[in-house]
Amino acid sequence: APRYPRYTREEVGRHRLPQDRVWVTHGTEVFDVTDFVELHPGGADKILLAAGGALEPFWALYAVHSQPHVLELLREYKVGELSPEEAPPAAAAAGDPFAGDPPRHPGLRVNSQKPFNAEPPAELLAERFLTPNELFFTRNHLPVPAVDPGSYRLRVEGPGGRALSLSLPELRSRFPKHEVTATLQCAGNRRAEMSQVRPVKGLPWDIGAISTARWGGARLRDVLLHAGFEEEREGEWHVCFEGLDADAGGAPYGASIPYGRAVSPAADVLLAYEMNGEELPRDHGFPVRVVVPGVVGARSVKWLRRVAVSPAESPSHWQQNDYKGFSPCVDWDTVDYKTAPAIQELPVQSAITHPRPGAAVPAGELTVKGYAWSGGGRPVVRVDVSLDGGRTWRVARLSGERPPPGRAWAWVLWELQAPVAAGAELE
Amino acid sequence: APRYPRYTREEVGRHRLPQDRVWVTHGTEVFDVTDFVELHPGGADKILLAAGGALEPFWALYAVHSQPHVLELLREYKVGELSPEEAPPAAAAAGDPFAGDPPRHPGLRVNSQKPFNAEPPAELLAERFLTPNELFFTRNHLPVPAVDPGSYRLRVEGPGGRALSLSLPELRSRFPKHEVTATLQCAGNRRAEMSQVRPVKGLPWDIGAISTARWGGARLRDVLLHAGFEEEREGEWHVCFEGLDADAGGAPYGASIPYGRAVSPAADVLLAYEMNGEELPRDHGFPVRVVVPGVVGARSVKWLRRVAVSPAESPSHWQQNDYKGFSPCVDWDTVDYKTAPAIQELPVQSAITHPRPGAAVPAGELTVKGYAWSGGGRPVVRVDVSLDGGRTWRVARLSGERPPPGRAWAWVLWELQAPVAAGAELE
């Protein structure tokens, strides 16, 4: 007879909130961490991200060093064991176009399951300069295609009707591997906050539709020159990308960027096959994606199947009739997409990741943390923080890389220590 | 005996405001236009810019076509003749370092006489896409140097201690003439408005420290390559400029830009000798100035005497200890200039040139006009206008050139017609 009661994962999953008691699992053990968190607020606050589920996916990314120590402390909060018949969740239903989507990290904050759109929780977002692949925000427009790397071919249409067809080994061996640290941001980042000012249509992203990785791959420039294109072309030209992800009618996701950016050695545009030193995860474009540093994420086409040069922008829905900005006087009935250019570079962005809005913080020294980023490779030179609605300001300490001029493709993380008086209202 | 009383220019100059009656001169005739303006508000509002002085400098630039018609109308407002002994103003006092400064257009709104800093009046600013040379805003840090074009030499220091010395004819003949339409803006533009929020040190520029011209000259890139420099240099390099204008201790005005911008064919940096098809006026750098499109005006060094490539930015006061931005928590006692980068590209700017703040406008159809510009060659894609403090918005009509991607160096002018109800408070 077991010393502890047995629970299913489903039963554990009902314990996510303090009023239901907060349970987590580690291995086959079940812990009630409600009191633990209260007693150890410093070292264990992120344990709550695993509420109702397993600790391992979080500790694997963020708490490697403290794990044995915390496990020791946790032992007295053990309340049960997982039932031995517990198995991984049942396979997705057949006939569902999203049934082939990959498994995801439970820490992701999901804004839409099908297609999958999710962001890292704000608490973890700025904990690391490079976002772990498992927590990198995911913006899928369609089901994730299942790609066989052995038969994968990238089609690059050259001038005069010639075309290249590149296998994955050819893409890796024919072109020098170029590495770039770049932040990608969805144009909808922070829409949930915008909607508090005025309702906006679209996924309710919190502040996490932005992440940073070290990307490795062939330079788009090298591939285009190899295909026969020149450094400069007279007139207006665009480089169009098509993905292997397609809608029910077979239309692929697509986007384009101006030719000048595609061939500029200073623009660092990649056909990436590596993300933080690993092959691309399926959610992030396996086996090859475009990475356009400094530009809205929508142009960094995943599961890339075709590259073509055209006098017009991509005819894709997402280039023509989405990812554009309009005046507040335009609504869904009056919008004329042709009147606005497709978004490329994004403006400056800065967000607080800690503390969260509405959080109570103890009097004394408060640590405020966040990220800041700007499109177009423009560096963030300073982050000012106000705790009193803009009456007074302090300068935050920045951390990050020091890139060459015009190539600040990655965010900076920032941090500020500031005294908070008891009873003060922060705004 | 004359039919009209005789007045000196000084006497006319006392009639600038309606309470003193507004007088202007044309040729040797003196007119009291106080009632004229009231009766002809549409065609003659700009006549007030000449209040207390001569009409000709304004009409020469802005009212050529309507002049005979308005003169006809003016005739009945004639009140006098200029005294025949009237001569141009006395020459400037000897010993004054600014005594050699050139004559200026009386329409300029002067923020500082010595050194001369002046802007076109807001009423004229956006009347033309290209600002007439006489009204182009002037930002001088020092007295205007007197340069003999025959003996002028531009020194360009090449790699390995070699140097070029270029005469004006050599600069014109050895390098292809390149033309660029570019807006220059002083970093202090609109400081008068900023000071209403919080007092800021510096010249009280209104909205006119910005102007646009068609510049012609040699590309800095061509001159640098001719001097022996390469397209790319490993590491951090800057191109430093020195002017012929110098302070009392002999230190010249100086500034620098990053090497990459200087040699980039897409950055269009000029060593300009032409401004709107004429040779450079003395106030704008005769005979040669730098024009760095998309960058704060302070880097477009006038009266250029020396170009050098250096691993450090220009050691000039104006590169090191001026033209930098700081947090609101920094003041003149605590500022550490080393903590901030020198300003290069400026952010987006948009200003209303008509109507002016506080102006009463008739009920009915109101025309609102202004300019918009952004640094770095980023185009202005839209201007939204609100007449009710941001509650509702309208989209203005833009006019200007259609530049290639990333090379939107010039402002756009914008205009909006909107109905105004009687008694409405515009904000």
Side-chain angles (χ1 to χ4, degrees), chain A residues 143-214:
Chain A
V144 176
V147 184
D148 167 27
S151 59
Y152 171 80
R153 294 292 181 280
L154 172 62
R155 182 177 169 84
V156 181
E157 303 194 351
R162 285 166 293 148
L164 287 179
S165 175
L166 295 167
S167 70
L168 201 48
E170 286 167 344
L171 186 69
R172 284 174 173 271
S173 63
R174 285 204 196 157
F175 307 96
K177 184 166 115 182
H178 190 72
E179 288 191 276
V180 178
T181 305
T183 295
L184 294 185
Q185 182 181 227
C186 178
N189 192 26
R190 307 183 71 175
R191 187 181 282 119
E193 287 169 90
M194 296 177 214
S195 287
Q196 289 171 16
V197 179
R198 188 174 138 174
V200 194
K201 216 164 144 176
L203 295 166
W205 296 103
D206 189 20
I207 63 172
I210 183 169
S211 301
T212 301
R214 179 88 178 154

Side-chain angles (χ1 to χ4, degrees), chain A residues 253-321:
Chain A
Y253 184 82
S256 61
I257 61 172
Y259 187 83
R261 182 179 290 275
V263 295
S264 165
D268 288 324
V269 182
L270 293 187
L271 305 184
Y273 42 76
E274 276 184 16
M275 181 176 182
N276 291 326
E278 299 169 9
E279 66 181 16
L280 288 182
R282 288 190 60 212
D283 261 333
H284 299 290
F286 178 82
V288 177
R289 74 173 299 172
V290 185
V291 172
V292 190
V295 155
V296 61
R299 311 303 167 214
S300 289
V301 173
K302 301 193 277 193
W303 314 291
L304 186 66
R305 75 170 189 194
R306 180 169 171 264
V307 175
V309 173
S310 160
E313 287 187 296
S314 165
S316 153
H317 165 80
W318 294 276
Q319 185 83 19
Q320 299 291 333
N321 299 329

